[in-house]
Amino acid sequence: MAEHESHEFDVVVVGAGGAGLRAAIEASAQGARTALVCKSLLGKAHTVMAEGGIAAALGNVYPDDDWRVHFRDTLRGGKLLNNWRMVQIQAQEAPDRVLELEEWGALFDRTEDGRILQRDFGGHRYARLAHVGDRTGLEMIRTLQHHAVHKGIDVFMECTITCLLKDDERIAGAFGYWRESGRFLLFNAPAVVLATGGIGKAYKITSNSWEYTGDGHALALWAGADLIDMECVQFHPTGMVWPPSVRGILVTEGVRGDGGVLRNADGDRFMFGYIPQMFRAETADTEEEADRWYTDKQNARRTPDLLPRDEVARAINTETKEGRGSPHGGVYLDIANRRDAEYIKRRLPSMYHQFLQLADVDITREAMEVGPTCHYMMGGVRVDAETQASTVPGLFAAGEVAGGAHGANRLGGNSLSDLLVFGRRAGLHAAEYARGLTARPTVDPGQIDELARHALRPFDAAGSENPYAIQQDLQECMHALVGIIRTEDELAKALEELAMLQDRASRVRVEGHRQYNPGWHLALDLGPLLAVSECITRAALERRESRGAQTRDDYPTTDPELAKINVVVRQQTGELSTALETRPPLPDDLAKLLEDA
């Protein structure tokens, strides 16, 4: 057998962002021997980049807010493609998870009477996001990390999982390697929780960090799990487009929630021309009416600058294509002329310091040039709403790697409450699953040898392909052909290019040795990157309509019948297949919440 170190656990959590930390804390609390495996260092997960806040109907600013309104907002934002039960669970449990985080030491901004302050975000009827300035994700990770360390959870940092192992149809463990030394590891465990985040590094312009190479989506796919809604890739409307030093970096929705507005090159607040019928009754029709909302907190009507992200991203895309964009291909986001400098520095400290230091842009004095950036994957592993169990026994998923909760478009702030609510449920039920087994699954030693040979193949390959060149070409392909606007011809061309990239990836060669070799790491990341890119493209071909983040120029309308359908991607006998499958209908009492609106 290939040389490797071996570890025995009941639950292995892959990923140490908000979902992974919360899952590990819960599994450990249930008495399970728990391992937390992260690709980067503990505390460096992409969750720290989440700025705006945690969406939870606490009702601290608007007493009329409750889980029913949050449920309705989320379904409408997701264009009714969401798993309704996941939405209900998240809306009902999010307040408890936020208060739990506070009990564990999280420091939130406060109302005048000392309660957790909540801010406005796009698509939410009421101010609902509990926040810490614009550093909410960092505070969440700090709190969860300290709690996990206090629990004594075993942490494996700078460790990449490359494959899940099975005993017949059940999960038996996970195989990976230490990034520093290149040595292999085997985790023998009957339950694995995937919490690996998203797929952003498949795209040329992204707000995502280097870890987001689709690892969890690919691991689940290769293990036989179903993926759903992979066509639904969210492009956040406000990523920096200039200067180059900050290209793609996210400008939090909190800038617009605190008064910032979008303008085109003519100085017009163009979003008033893009209000969809679904939101017209709750959105200001004029600039004067929208401005009144900022001073009259009882006015529940919304500025169109805070429409759901898919609507704003498409509007910006249209403005730039029609020649009304900024000099560098975006539009202007202006808070400098709307709020005084001290207010901006107090409410948006990270935004202010980050862009001043990295780009010499002072947001208290000048507008930012912004445009859509690949931000979030709504699609992912198909999971049971109650348990977060996938279609493979012993495999669970939570956070961005899990599909269903956000439908065709995620509302801002729902990601962080998703991490807390479903991270907890995944850890709880993974521990219960492991505890309920009468016999632990075992790993076939032959699997280890084959996986080790596959991982080392780039050192011995006869080819001369460079992994960096392949990733660059992949990003160009996905950006140009499977981006914010799609057509059948371009998607078909993308599949042809992806097939050629797969062929090139089989001939990748890297130099040097295994000890912290970034070229080797990327060569191994190409597998997940290419797999998720093909899943996205095939699913986008199958959904012949425009819904949320899936915008088809050749099918510009929304088909009501397809709201009932998930596009499911599976790997069978080594080949990807897609299927259109009907989702359970919305119960009458919950459907009435939408009708009443």
mmCIF file of all heavy atoms in Angstrom, residues 54-58 64-77 87-88 90-95 123-126 128-129 411-414 417-418 593:
data_model
loop_
_atom_site.group_PDB
_atom_site.id
_atom_site.type_symbol
_atom_site.label_atom_id
_atom_site.label_comp_id
_atom_site.label_asym_id
_atom_site.label_seq_id
_atom_site.Cartn_x
_atom_site.Cartn_y
_atom_site.Cartn_z
ATOM 1 N N ILE A 54 -25.780 38.873 8.987
ATOM 2 C CA ILE A 54 -26.472 37.586 9.081
ATOM 3 C C ILE A 54 -27.968 37.853 9.019
ATOM 4 O O ILE A 54 -28.524 38.541 9.886
ATOM 5 C CB ILE A 54 -26.129 36.869 10.401
ATOM 6 C CG1 ILE A 54 -24.618 36.797 10.616
ATOM 7 C CG2 ILE A 54 -26.760 35.484 10.446
ATOM 8 C CD1 ILE A 54 -24.215 36.358 12.021
ATOM 9 N N ALA A 55 -28.639 37.305 8.015
ATOM 10 C CA ALA A 55 -30.072 37.531 7.864
ATOM 11 C C ALA A 55 -30.847 36.669 8.857
ATOM 12 O O ALA A 55 -30.786 35.446 8.816
ATOM 13 C CB ALA A 55 -30.514 37.204 6.438
ATOM 14 N N ALA A 56 -31.561 37.327 9.768
ATOM 15 C CA ALA A 56 -32.363 36.634 10.776
ATOM 16 C C ALA A 56 -33.477 37.575 11.225
ATOM 17 O O ALA A 56 -33.215 38.744 11.539
ATOM 18 C CB ALA A 56 -31.508 36.210 11.968
ATOM 19 N N ALA A 57 -34.701 37.075 11.274
ATOM 20 C CA ALA A 57 -35.865 37.901 11.599
ATOM 21 C C ALA A 57 -35.981 38.101 13.117
ATOM 22 O O ALA A 57 -36.917 37.635 13.768
ATOM 23 C CB ALA A 57 -37.132 37.278 11.032
ATOM 24 N N LEU A 58 -35.028 38.826 13.677
ATOM 25 C CA LEU A 58 -35.046 39.134 15.108
ATOM 26 C C LEU A 58 -36.093 40.192 15.440
ATOM 27 O O LEU A 58 -36.575 40.259 16.581
ATOM 28 C CB LEU A 58 -33.667 39.639 15.544
ATOM 29 C CG LEU A 58 -32.505 38.635 15.461
ATOM 30 C CD1 LEU A 58 -31.169 39.369 15.550
ATOM 31 C CD2 LEU A 58 -32.609 37.591 16.549
ATOM 32 N N ASP A 64 -42.445 44.263 13.023
ATOM 33 C CA ASP A 64 -43.322 43.475 12.159
ATOM 34 C C ASP A 64 -42.593 42.320 11.478
ATOM 35 O O ASP A 64 -43.235 41.445 10.889
ATOM 36 C CB ASP A 64 -43.937 44.366 11.081
ATOM 37 C CG ASP A 64 -44.954 45.344 11.657
ATOM 38 O OD1 ASP A 64 -45.452 45.094 12.771
ATOM 39 O OD2 ASP A 64 -45.236 46.355 10.991
ATOM 40 N N ASP A 65 -41.271 42.322 11.521
ATOM 41 C CA ASP A 65 -40.515 41.257 10.856
ATOM 42 C C ASP A 65 -40.664 39.962 11.639
ATOM 43 O O ASP A 65 -40.607 39.939 12.875
ATOM 44 C CB ASP A 65 -39.042 41.643 10.754
ATOM 45 C CG ASP A 65 -38.282 40.790 9.748
ATOM 46 O OD1 ASP A 65 -38.939 40.128 8.921
ATOM 47 O OD2 ASP A 65 -37.041 40.800 9.787
ATOM 48 N N ASP A 66 -40.844 38.867 10.912
ATOM 49 C CA ASP A 66 -40.848 37.534 11.526
ATOM 50 C C ASP A 66 -40.436 36.509 10.475
ATOM 51 O O ASP A 66 -40.134 36.865 9.334
ATOM 52 C CB ASP A 66 -42.218 37.188 12.143
ATOM 53 C CG ASP A 66 -43.337 37.063 11.113
ATOM 54 O OD1 ASP A 66 -43.036 36.988 9.895
ATOM 55 O OD2 ASP A 66 -44.510 37.024 11.515
ATOM 56 N N TRP A 67 -40.400 35.236 10.867
ATOM 57 C CA TRP A 67 -39.888 34.209 9.966
ATOM 58 C C TRP A 67 -40.725 34.094 8.695
ATOM 59 O O TRP A 67 -40.207 33.741 7.628
ATOM 60 C CB TRP A 67 -39.793 32.857 10.671
ATOM 61 C CG TRP A 67 -41.094 32.126 10.877
ATOM 62 C CD1 TRP A 67 -41.865 32.125 11.994
ATOM 63 C CD2 TRP A 67 -41.767 31.288 9.928
ATOM 64 N NE1 TRP A 67 -42.995 31.334 11.805
ATOM 65 C CE2 TRP A 67 -42.946 30.811 10.550
ATOM 66 C CE3 TRP A 67 -41.503 30.884 8.620
ATOM 67 C CZ2 TRP A 67 -43.851 29.961 9.915
ATOM 68 C CZ3 TRP A 67 -42.395 30.040 7.973
ATOM 69 C CH2 TRP A 67 -43.555 29.582 8.615
ATOM 70 N N ARG A 68 -42.008 34.411 8.774
ATOM 71 C CA ARG A 68 -42.878 34.288 7.599
ATOM 72 C C ARG A 68 -42.478 35.287 6.516
ATOM 73 O O ARG A 68 -42.467 34.958 5.323
ATOM 74 C CB ARG A 68 -44.335 34.493 8.006
ATOM 75 C CG ARG A 68 -44.864 33.419 8.944
ATOM 76 C CD ARG A 68 -46.205 33.787 9.544
ATOM 77 N NE ARG A 68 -46.630 32.819 10.531
ATOM 78 C CZ ARG A 68 -46.225 32.817 11.799
ATOM 79 N NH1 ARG A 68 -45.401 33.760 12.237
ATOM 80 N NH2 ARG A 68 -46.642 31.889 12.634
ATOM 81 N N VAL A 69 -42.139 36.518 6.940
ATOM 82 C CA VAL A 69 -41.699 37.523 5.969
ATOM 83 C C VAL A 69 -40.344 37.125 5.389
ATOM 84 O O VAL A 69 -40.103 37.261 4.178
ATOM 85 C CB VAL A 69 -41.640 38.921 6.620
ATOM 86 C CG1 VAL A 69 -41.335 39.966 5.561
ATOM 87 C CG2 VAL A 69 -42.930 39.250 7.339
ATOM 88 N N HIS A 70 -39.452 36.640 6.244
ATOM 89 C CA HIS A 70 -38.135 36.178 5.782
ATOM 90 C C HIS A 70 -38.310 35.014 4.806
ATOM 91 O O HIS A 70 -37.649 34.964 3.751
ATOM 92 C CB HIS A 70 -37.293 35.750 6.989
ATOM 93 C CG HIS A 70 -35.856 35.497 6.660
ATOM 94 N ND1 HIS A 70 -34.941 35.052 7.599
ATOM 95 C CD2 HIS A 70 -35.150 35.601 5.510
ATOM 96 C CE1 HIS A 70 -33.763 34.915 7.039
ATOM 97 N NE2 HIS A 70 -33.865 35.226 5.763
ATOM 98 N N PHE A 71 -39.196 34.103 5.116
ATOM 99 C CA PHE A 71 -39.492 32.965 4.233
ATOM 100 C C PHE A 71 -39.963 33.462 2.874
ATOM 101 O O PHE A 71 -39.468 33.031 1.826
ATOM 102 C CB PHE A 71 -40.564 32.090 4.892
ATOM 103 C CG PHE A 71 -41.101 30.990 4.015
ATOM 104 C CD1 PHE A 71 -40.469 29.770 3.959
ATOM 105 C CD2 PHE A 71 -42.252 31.177 3.248
ATOM 106 C CE1 PHE A 71 -40.958 28.746 3.151
ATOM 107 C CE2 PHE A 71 -42.750 30.173 2.443
ATOM 108 C CZ PHE A 71 -42.097 28.952 2.393
ATOM 109 N N ARG A 72 -40.919 34.379 2.882
ATOM 110 C CA ARG A 72 -41.463 34.897 1.643
ATOM 111 C C ARG A 72 -40.416 35.634 0.828
ATOM 112 O O ARG A 72 -40.283 35.440 -0.380
ATOM 113 C CB ARG A 72 -42.635 35.834 1.939
ATOM 114 C CG ARG A 72 -43.422 36.244 0.701
ATOM 115 C CD ARG A 72 -44.104 37.570 0.909
ATOM 116 N NE ARG A 72 -43.117 38.649 0.987
ATOM 117 C CZ ARG A 72 -43.420 39.899 1.278
ATOM 118 N NH1 ARG A 72 -44.655 40.231 1.580
ATOM 119 N NH2 ARG A 72 -42.476 40.820 1.296
ATOM 120 N N ASP A 73 -39.623 36.473 1.485
ATOM 121 C CA ASP A 73 -38.579 37.212 0.777
ATOM 122 C C ASP A 73 -37.590 36.264 0.111
ATOM 123 O O ASP A 73 -37.152 36.488 -1.022
ATOM 124 C CB ASP A 73 -37.825 38.126 1.751
ATOM 125 C CG ASP A 73 -38.665 39.294 2.247
ATOM 126 O OD1 ASP A 73 -39.738 39.552 1.661
ATOM 127 O OD2 ASP A 73 -38.243 39.947 3.229
ATOM 128 N N THR A 74 -37.204 35.202 0.831
ATOM 129 C CA THR A 74 -36.203 34.264 0.312
ATOM 130 C C THR A 74 -36.739 33.485 -0.886
ATOM 131 O O THR A 74 -36.031 33.293 -1.884
ATOM 132 C CB THR A 74 -35.754 33.303 1.420
ATOM 133 O OG1 THR A 74 -35.196 34.060 2.506
ATOM 134 C CG2 THR A 74 -34.712 32.324 0.918
ATOM 135 N N LEU A 75 -37.999 33.053 -0.805
ATOM 136 C CA LEU A 75 -38.594 32.332 -1.936
ATOM 137 C C LEU A 75 -38.714 33.231 -3.153
ATOM 138 O O LEU A 75 -38.425 32.818 -4.285
ATOM 139 C CB LEU A 75 -39.978 31.803 -1.560
ATOM 140 C CG LEU A 75 -40.076 30.380 -0.998
ATOM 141 C CD1 LEU A 75 -41.532 29.981 -0.854
ATOM 142 C CD2 LEU A 75 -39.355 29.365 -1.877
ATOM 143 N N ARG A 76 -39.143 34.455 -2.945
ATOM 144 C CA ARG A 76 -39.292 35.365 -4.068
ATOM 145 C C ARG A 76 -37.926 35.738 -4.639
ATOM 146 O O ARG A 76 -37.759 35.823 -5.857
ATOM 147 C CB ARG A 76 -40.044 36.621 -3.634
ATOM 148 C CG ARG A 76 -41.488 36.354 -3.252
ATOM 149 C CD ARG A 76 -42.130 37.592 -2.668
ATOM 150 N NE ARG A 76 -42.442 38.562 -3.697
ATOM 151 C CZ ARG A 76 -42.557 39.874 -3.476
ATOM 152 N NH1 ARG A 76 -42.338 40.354 -2.265
ATOM 153 N NH2 ARG A 76 -42.872 40.691 -4.447
ATOM 154 N N GLY A 77 -36.947 35.946 -3.772
ATOM 155 C CA GLY A 77 -35.603 36.231 -4.260
ATOM 156 C C GLY A 77 -35.035 35.073 -5.052
ATOM 157 O O GLY A 77 -34.333 35.267 -6.044
ATOM 158 N N VAL A 87 -35.916 26.588 3.214
ATOM 159 C CA VAL A 87 -36.176 28.005 3.449
ATOM 160 C C VAL A 87 -36.928 28.202 4.760
ATOM 161 O O VAL A 87 -36.604 29.098 5.552
ATOM 162 C CB VAL A 87 -36.977 28.605 2.273
ATOM 163 C CG1 VAL A 87 -37.290 30.077 2.543
ATOM 164 C CG2 VAL A 87 -36.202 28.473 0.976
ATOM 165 N N GLN A 88 -37.908 27.354 5.005
ATOM 166 C CA GLN A 88 -38.689 27.463 6.244
ATOM 167 C C GLN A 88 -37.809 27.223 7.467
ATOM 168 O O GLN A 88 -37.853 27.979 8.450
ATOM 169 C CB GLN A 88 -39.842 26.464 6.222
ATOM 170 C CG GLN A 88 -40.754 26.553 7.448
ATOM 171 C CD GLN A 88 -41.855 25.493 7.426
ATOM 172 O OE1 GLN A 88 -41.693 24.428 6.828
ATOM 173 N NE2 GLN A 88 -42.967 25.793 8.075
ATOM 174 N N GLN A 90 -34.553 27.560 7.722
ATOM 175 C CA GLN A 90 -33.591 28.653 7.898
ATOM 176 C C GLN A 90 -34.271 29.881 8.490
ATOM 177 O O GLN A 90 -33.741 30.513 9.418
ATOM 178 C CB GLN A 90 -32.940 29.008 6.557
ATOM 179 C CG GLN A 90 -31.925 30.140 6.679
ATOM 180 C CD GLN A 90 -31.149 30.374 5.405
ATOM 181 O OE1 GLN A 90 -31.150 29.546 4.497
ATOM 182 N NE2 GLN A 90 -30.461 31.496 5.318
ATOM 183 N N ALA A 91 -35.433 30.238 7.974
ATOM 184 C CA ALA A 91 -36.128 31.428 8.470
ATOM 185 C C ALA A 91 -36.535 31.271 9.932
ATOM 186 O O ALA A 91 -36.466 32.229 10.713
ATOM 187 C CB ALA A 91 -37.355 31.709 7.604
ATOM 188 N N GLN A 92 -36.941 30.065 10.324
ATOM 189 C CA GLN A 92 -37.397 29.835 11.701
ATOM 190 C C GLN A 92 -36.245 29.727 12.690
ATOM 191 O O GLN A 92 -36.358 30.184 13.837
ATOM 192 C CB GLN A 92 -38.252 28.565 11.752
ATOM 193 C CG GLN A 92 -39.599 28.711 11.069
ATOM 194 C CD GLN A 92 -40.397 27.407 11.055
ATOM 195 O OE1 GLN A 92 -39.819 26.309 11.096
ATOM 196 N NE2 GLN A 92 -41.709 27.505 10.972
ATOM 197 N N GLU A 93 -35.129 29.139 12.278
ATOM 198 C CA GLU A 93 -34.049 28.862 13.219
ATOM 199 C C GLU A 93 -32.951 29.925 13.242
ATOM 200 O O GLU A 93 -32.155 29.966 14.191
ATOM 201 C CB GLU A 93 -33.426 27.491 12.902
ATOM 202 C CG GLU A 93 -34.392 26.329 13.115
ATOM 203 C CD GLU A 93 -33.727 24.971 12.937
ATOM 204 O OE1 GLU A 93 -32.493 24.920 12.731
ATOM 205 O OE2 GLU A 93 -34.454 23.959 12.998
ATOM 206 N N ALA A 94 -32.891 30.777 12.230
ATOM 207 C CA ALA A 94 -31.814 31.759 12.163
ATOM 208 C C ALA A 94 -31.728 32.653 13.401
ATOM 209 O O ALA A 94 -30.621 32.899 13.906
ATOM 210 C CB ALA A 94 -31.951 32.607 10.897
ATOM 211 N N PRO A 95 -32.856 33.164 13.951
ATOM 212 C CA PRO A 95 -32.719 34.010 15.147
ATOM 213 C C PRO A 95 -32.043 33.299 16.314
ATOM 214 O O PRO A 95 -31.196 33.890 17.005
ATOM 215 C CB PRO A 95 -34.172 34.384 15.474
ATOM 216 C CG PRO A 95 -34.879 34.333 14.153
ATOM 217 C CD PRO A 95 -34.243 33.174 13.435
ATOM 218 N N GLY A 123 -33.543 42.813 -1.419
ATOM 219 C CA GLY A 123 -34.533 41.743 -1.442
ATOM 220 C C GLY A 123 -35.204 41.480 -0.121
ATOM 221 O O GLY A 123 -36.188 40.738 -0.071
ATOM 222 N N HIS A 124 -34.697 42.055 0.975
ATOM 223 C CA HIS A 124 -35.313 41.876 2.293
ATOM 224 C C HIS A 124 -36.285 43.027 2.554
ATOM 225 O O HIS A 124 -35.911 44.203 2.459
ATOM 226 C CB HIS A 124 -34.238 41.849 3.385
ATOM 227 C CG HIS A 124 -33.320 40.673 3.312
ATOM 228 N ND1 HIS A 124 -33.661 39.432 3.790
ATOM 229 C CD2 HIS A 124 -32.067 40.549 2.798
ATOM 230 C CE1 HIS A 124 -32.644 38.589 3.594
ATOM 231 N NE2 HIS A 124 -31.674 39.252 2.987
ATOM 232 N N ARG A 125 -37.508 42.698 2.908
ATOM 233 C CA ARG A 125 -38.514 43.738 3.139
ATOM 234 C C ARG A 125 -38.133 44.639 4.306
ATOM 235 O O ARG A 125 -38.360 45.847 4.273
ATOM 236 C CB ARG A 125 -39.878 43.106 3.393
ATOM 237 C CG ARG A 125 -40.966 44.139 3.662
ATOM 238 C CD ARG A 125 -42.336 43.517 3.750
ATOM 239 N NE ARG A 125 -43.351 44.515 4.048
ATOM 240 C CZ ARG A 125 -43.938 45.294 3.163
ATOM 241 N NH1 ARG A 125 -43.588 45.206 1.897
ATOM 242 N NH2 ARG A 125 -44.844 46.187 3.512
ATOM 243 N N TYR A 126 -37.566 44.034 5.352
ATOM 244 C CA TYR A 126 -37.210 44.794 6.547
ATOM 245 C C TYR A 126 -35.708 44.752 6.784
ATOM 246 O O TYR A 126 -35.008 43.857 6.297
ATOM 247 C CB TYR A 126 -37.928 44.219 7.775
ATOM 248 C CG TYR A 126 -39.429 44.313 7.717
ATOM 249 C CD1 TYR A 126 -40.208 43.163 7.636
ATOM 250 C CD2 TYR A 126 -40.075 45.541 7.766
ATOM 251 C CE1 TYR A 126 -41.590 43.247 7.598
ATOM 252 C CE2 TYR A 126 -41.456 45.640 7.727
ATOM 253 C CZ TYR A 126 -42.212 44.475 7.643
ATOM 254 O OH TYR A 126 -43.577 44.563 7.599
ATOM 255 N N ARG A 128 -32.843 43.462 8.386
ATOM 256 C CA ARG A 128 -32.832 42.122 8.971
ATOM 257 C C ARG A 128 -31.437 41.597 9.258
ATOM 258 O O ARG A 128 -31.275 40.558 9.924
ATOM 259 C CB ARG A 128 -33.560 41.173 8.005
ATOM 260 C CG ARG A 128 -33.773 39.767 8.496
ATOM 261 C CD ARG A 128 -34.541 38.944 7.482
ATOM 262 N NE ARG A 128 -35.934 39.343 7.416
ATOM 263 C CZ ARG A 128 -36.661 39.409 6.303
ATOM 264 N NH1 ARG A 128 -36.097 39.116 5.146
ATOM 265 N NH2 ARG A 128 -37.927 39.773 6.337
ATOM 266 N N LEU A 129 -30.390 42.269 8.800
ATOM 267 C CA LEU A 129 -29.051 41.700 8.889
ATOM 268 C C LEU A 129 -28.342 42.134 10.164
ATOM 269 O O LEU A 129 -27.965 43.308 10.313
ATOM 270 C CB LEU A 129 -28.212 42.082 7.666
ATOM 271 C CG LEU A 129 -28.340 41.092 6.505
ATOM 272 C CD1 LEU A 129 -29.716 41.186 5.878
ATOM 273 C CD2 LEU A 129 -27.271 41.314 5.466
ATOM 274 N N LEU A 411 -30.362 35.806 -1.578
ATOM 275 C CA LEU A 411 -30.411 37.139 -1.005
ATOM 276 C C LEU A 411 -29.197 37.355 -0.105
ATOM 277 O O LEU A 411 -28.764 36.448 0.611
ATOM 278 C CB LEU A 411 -31.689 37.327 -0.178
ATOM 279 C CG LEU A 411 -33.021 37.275 -0.922
ATOM 280 C CD1 LEU A 411 -34.158 37.626 0.024
ATOM 281 C CD2 LEU A 411 -33.032 38.195 -2.125
ATOM 282 N N GLY A 412 -28.673 38.586 -0.124
ATOM 283 C CA GLY A 412 -27.542 38.915 0.730
ATOM 284 C C GLY A 412 -27.867 38.666 2.193
ATOM 285 O O GLY A 412 -28.969 38.939 2.657
ATOM 286 N N GLY A 413 -26.892 38.148 2.933
ATOM 287 C CA GLY A 413 -27.085 37.856 4.352
ATOM 288 C C GLY A 413 -27.616 36.472 4.618
ATOM 289 O O GLY A 413 -27.429 35.928 5.715
ATOM 290 N N ASN A 414 -28.281 35.864 3.634
ATOM 291 C CA ASN A 414 -28.802 34.509 3.834
ATOM 292 C C ASN A 414 -27.689 33.470 3.858
ATOM 293 O O ASN A 414 -27.887 32.355 4.354
ATOM 294 C CB ASN A 414 -29.824 34.153 2.755
ATOM 295 C CG ASN A 414 -31.230 34.569 3.120
ATOM 296 O OD1 ASN A 414 -31.491 35.005 4.244
ATOM 297 N ND2 ASN A 414 -32.153 34.424 2.186
ATOM 298 N N SER A 417 -26.586 33.033 7.693
ATOM 299 C CA SER A 417 -27.551 32.282 8.508
ATOM 300 C C SER A 417 -27.662 30.843 8.015
ATOM 301 O O SER A 417 -27.873 29.909 8.812
ATOM 302 C CB SER A 417 -28.921 32.971 8.524
ATOM 303 O OG SER A 417 -29.355 33.340 7.250
ATOM 304 N N ASP A 418 -27.498 30.625 6.711
ATOM 305 C CA ASP A 418 -27.447 29.265 6.147
ATOM 306 C C ASP A 418 -26.309 28.471 6.806
ATOM 307 O O ASP A 418 -26.493 27.319 7.241
ATOM 308 C CB ASP A 418 -27.235 29.395 4.641
ATOM 309 C CG ASP A 418 -26.928 28.089 3.913
ATOM 310 O OD1 ASP A 418 -26.713 27.066 4.563
ATOM 311 O OD2 ASP A 418 -26.878 28.113 2.677
ATOM 312 N N LEU A 593 -48.737 32.563 2.057
ATOM 313 C CA LEU A 593 -47.861 33.679 2.410
ATOM 314 C C LEU A 593 -47.440 34.453 1.166
ATOM 315 O O LEU A 593 -47.332 35.677 1.195
ATOM 316 C CB LEU A 593 -46.623 33.172 3.150
ATOM 317 C CG LEU A 593 -46.836 32.533 4.518
ATOM 318 C CD1 LEU A 593 -45.510 32.020 5.071
ATOM 319 C CD2 LEU A 593 -47.475 33.518 5.489
#
